């Protein structure tokens, strides 16, 4: 149940979809305090991550706009993850499809960097399932792009971590407004 209005919305970009062997290439996050999305530098986190073994494919570069040159000077996940978790503090981590996707990448990165992630996760995609009929979206699975468009939320840089994190925060807050506790 979405009974909170202070949280950290986050998103990851990765070299692929399998958390067992693909790697994080970007982490983006934004703090939401008292239901207000704080879009200023002190309340945002955005950093490229240099993959250890996996290369950024042309398909991933086309999708995200992130090139091998972008991540070449970046720190590795073992250095970036502790900074991200310090940014997140003890807040709920709100993501889109984060239970089956992003959290798996974070768990593995946590093991690699000896960083314990105790934060609860809240998955906006699963939450949206309660509203699909009311939104005229039919199925229980929907993309962030489609859901945000249906809610009138613009995402000018889809498939970039910070932009998707901001969009996720706004989608969550909009769904929460619609939530009358039924369903």
């Amino acid at each position: 149940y979405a009974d909170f209005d202070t949280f950290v919305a986050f998103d990851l970009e990765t070299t692929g979809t399998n958390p067992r062997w693909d790697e994080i290439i970007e982490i983006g996050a934004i703090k939401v305090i008292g239901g207000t999305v704080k879009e200023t530098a002190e309340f945002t986190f955005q950093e490229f991550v240099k993959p250890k073994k996996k290369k950024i494919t042309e398909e991933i570069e086309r999708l995200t706009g992130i090139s091998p040159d972008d991540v070449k000077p970046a720190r590795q996940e073992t250095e970036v993850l502790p900074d991200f978790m310090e940014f997140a503090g003890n807040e709920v981590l709100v993501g889109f499809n984060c239970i089956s996707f992003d959290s798996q990448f974070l768990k593995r990165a946590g093991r690699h960097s000896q960083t314990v992630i105790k934060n609860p996760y809240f998955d906006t995609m699963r939450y949206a399932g309660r509203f699909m009929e009311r939104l005229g979206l039919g199925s229980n699975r929907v993309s962030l792009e489609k859901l945000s468009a249906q809610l009138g939320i613009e995402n000018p840089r889809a498939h970039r971590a910070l932009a998707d994190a901001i969009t996720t925060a706004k989608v969550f807050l909009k769904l929460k407004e619609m939530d009358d506790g039924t369903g």
Side-chain angles (χ1 to χ4, degrees), residues 67-181:
S67 73
D69 287 341
D70 290 328
V71 299
K72 198 177 284 177
R75 299 184 301 157
Q76 293 190 329
E77 72 180 21
T78 54
E79 299 168 287
V80 178
L81 186 72
D83 288 349
F84 168 63
M85 293 315 301
E86 186 177 319
F87 171 82
N90 296 319
E91 299 300 340
V92 175
L93 294 173
V94 173
F96 192 86
N97 194 24
C98 68
I99 299 296
S100 59
F101 189 77
D102 305 76
S103 69
Q104 303 306 309
F105 281 89
L106 287 182
K107 279 180 198 163
R108 192 183 82 185
R111 284 194 305 272
H112 292 171
S113 63
Q114 284 79 52
T115 303
V116 178
I117 302 169
K118 293 182 179 174
N119 306 57
Y121 291 98
F122 187 90
D123 196 325
T124 303
M125 185 180 83
R126 290 182 180 188
Y127 186 45
R130 298 175 63 173
F131 307 97
M132 291 307 194
E133 209 171 281
R134 279 168 54 189
L135 291 170
L137 292 170
S139 89
N140 275 351
R141 264 186 87 72
V142 66
S143 69
L144 179 60
E145 286 177 271
K146 191 172 184 179
L147 180 59
S148 60
Q150 190 68 22
L151 292 169
I153 296 166
E154 204 174 306
N155 183 352
R157 298 195 70 192
H159 301 293
R160 284 303 302 273
L162 182 57
D164 283 353
I166 292 168
T167 301
T168 297
K170 291 177 179 179
V171 164
F172 169 80
L173 292 170
K174 191 77 119 176
L175 293 174
K176 194 173 173 201
E177 276 176 29
M178 294 172 61
D179 195 348
D180 57 9

Side-chain angles (χ1 to χ4, degrees), residues 31 38-45 87:
K31 289 184 177 179
K38 301 287 191 174
E39 289 189 58
T40 58
E42 67 187 296
F43 295 105
T44 58
F45 183 97
F87 171 82

